[in-house]
Amino acid sequence: MLIDGVSLLALAVVLGVVVYCVFFRDVWLTRRMKPLVEILDEGSHFEGGRLSGGYSGKRAWFEYRAQSRGNPAMMRISVACAASHSFRIHKKAENLQPPERAYLENEIASPNHQSFYSGDPLWDSELTLAADSEASFKSWINRPDVHETVGSIVLRPLTTIMICERGALCAVYLGPGAEAVFQSRFAKEALDELVSLSETLG
C-alpha cells in the first residue's frame, strides 16, 4: 500500500510539472507571438505554437517550435496557394550547422522529389533544388520576377528552406532565423514575398 501511495505521489508530481511547463510555455508563446498577431487580419487564432489568420486576402500562419536537445528553434511562415507541383529549395547541407542538417534530413526529405541544377551559378553553389516535376518547376523558377523573389528569400542568411507542399508555400527559419521572425517588420516582409510568390503558383 505504501508503494502504491509513493507511486501515486510521484505520478502526481510529474503530471503537475508537465501541466505547469505546458501552461507557462503557452503563456510565453502567446506573449512572443503578439507582434505577429498584429500583422494578421482580425480573427487570428493561436493554438499549440501555431498562429493562423488572414493576410492580404490569403490564409496565412506561423508555426513555432522552441529549441530542444539536438533540435534548433524553428519558425515556419506559410501562405495558402494552389500550386500544381511541389518543390523544396534549401541551403546546401555543408553550409549548415549540424542541428540544421539534421532537421533537413529528418523533416524535409521527400522521396518524390528529384534534385537538379538551376543553371544559375550562384544558386547552384549555395542551394539545393528539388521538385516532383522538373519541367513545371523550371518553367516557374525561370520567370525573372519569380527568380528574383525566390532568390531574395532563400539566399537571405536567416532563411534555411522554402517548401511548396499540400496547398501551402512556406519559408522555414532555423536557429537565430526563427527568433528574428518575431520582429514584426521582418515577418511582414517575409509574408509579402510569400504572398507575391503564391500568386504566381495558382
Side-chain angles (χ1 to χ4, degrees), residues 55 76 84 117 148 186 192:
Y55 184 82
R76 180 186 289 227
S84 60
Y117 291 104
E148 181 179 354
F186 184 100
D192 285 338

Side-chain angles (χ1 to χ4, degrees), residues 27-176:
V27 169
W28 174 79
L29 260 180
T30 301
R31 289 178 179 168
R32 293 291 312 271
M33 288 284 193
K34 188 175 180 182
L36 306 182
V37 171
E38 295 170 359
I39 295 172
L40 299 178
D41 297 343
E42 289 184 15
S44 60
H45 177 70
F46 176 73
E47 183 176 357
R50 177 176 168 137
L51 172 68
S52 57
Y55 184 82
S56 295
K58 293 271 188 182
R59 187 168 57 89
W61 57 99
F62 299 91
E63 294 172 89
Y64 180 76
R65 184 179 68 195
Q67 180 178 347
S68 60
R69 186 176 181 181
N71 294 310
M74 183 277 297
M75 176 71 86
R76 180 186 289 227
I77 305 178
S78 306
V79 297
C81 73
S84 60
H85 58 282
S86 65
F87 62 82
R88 55 188 166 84
I89 308 169
H90 58 77
K91 300 284 191 345
K92 287 187 178 290
E94 58 266 28
N95 297 333
L96 301 174
Q97 297 297 317
E100 296 170 336
R101 287 201 298 270
Y103 178 89
L104 283 175
E105 293 167 3
N106 296 333
E107 302 194 31
I108 302 300
S110 172
N112 298 322
H113 286 170
Q114 296 179 341
S115 298
F116 47 82
Y117 291 104
S118 70
D120 181 317
L122 176 61
W123 281 35
D124 292 337
S125 66
E126 297 287 334
L127 303 173
T128 295
L129 288 72
D132 60 357
S133 170
E134 181 175 348
S136 297
F137 178 80
K138 283 191 170 179
S139 174
W140 175 73
I141 203 71
N142 286 331
R143 288 177 45 176
D145 58 329
V146 170
H147 193 82
E148 181 179 354
T149 305
V150 171
S152 73
I153 295 173
V154 187
L155 292 173
R156 187 177 293 143
L158 294 177
T159 313
T160 303
I161 312 155
M162 177 181 284
I163 311 167
C164 183
E165 60 182 1
R166 296 188 295 275
L169 179 64
C170 319
V172 180
Y173 305 84
L174 300 175

Side-chain angles (χ1 to χ4, degrees), residues 16-35:
V17 169
V18 169
V19 169
Y20 178 87
C21 290
V22 168
F23 173 77
F24 280 98
R25 182 202 64 188
D26 286 349
V27 169
W28 174 79
L29 260 180
T30 301
R31 289 178 179 168
R32 293 291 312 271
M33 288 284 193
K34 188 175 180 182

